[in-house]
Amino acid sequence: MPSPEARQSHIKPLGARLMLKLAVRCLVAAIVLTAVLGFAYPGAITGIAQLAFPNGADGSVIEADGRPVGSRLAAQAFDRPEYFHPRPSATGYDAAGTSFANLGPTSAELAARVAERASAILALEAPYNPGLAIGDIPVDAVTTSGSGIDPHISPAYADLQAPRVAAVRGISEERVRHLVEDATDGRSLGFFGEPGVNVLELNLALDRETA
């Protein structure tokens, strides 16, 4: 019968070989998973997206006069009176750093910001909308979106701005509302979300209309 010392000397080589075997297996698994999940899968998904949705896969870029002017997925700052204005942004419309205000409904700071924005909208829109009251202002006109770069405004906010844009541009309000309708995206799959007016597409259409 082998002595305890002999048995221990036999176990040590077995343990070392087992640890080496496990280490090799872990290394192989890491290499395979990195190749599959880090390169093959993203490459396949990118290729499928480029074939099925080439414009969306490239960022849904919008061009005007042959040059890119933005993306239909990201809002831009429009503050001149002849343009429709997007909803407020917590990031300054910076698509590289999307964020939100993170202020709850009981926040005094949020209430102050909403009141300030509502007052500015009343000053801007009331001359073109007689009898406009603070209760007539849509909520998306005074609150930021979750991303800070929501490209859409509600049809109600577009409806509020239409008289101003028509008057400043010297075109009929009916024509402006027709362009609003053309720039309105419906619910996803017919029932997800709410209709929204893409501000960038609408303002580019207005520029083409009055060029």
Side-chain angles (χ1 to χ4, degrees), residues 119-131:
S119 296
I121 289 175
L122 284 174
L124 177 64
E125 306 294 355
Y128 308 97
N129 293 272

Side-chain angles (χ1 to χ4, degrees), residues 114-142:
V114 168
E116 181 182 358
R117 292 165 184 158
S119 296
I121 289 175
L122 284 174
L124 177 64
E125 306 294 355
Y128 308 97
N129 293 272
L132 181 67
I134 194 168
D136 300 322
I137 300 174
V139 67
D140 63 306
V142 294

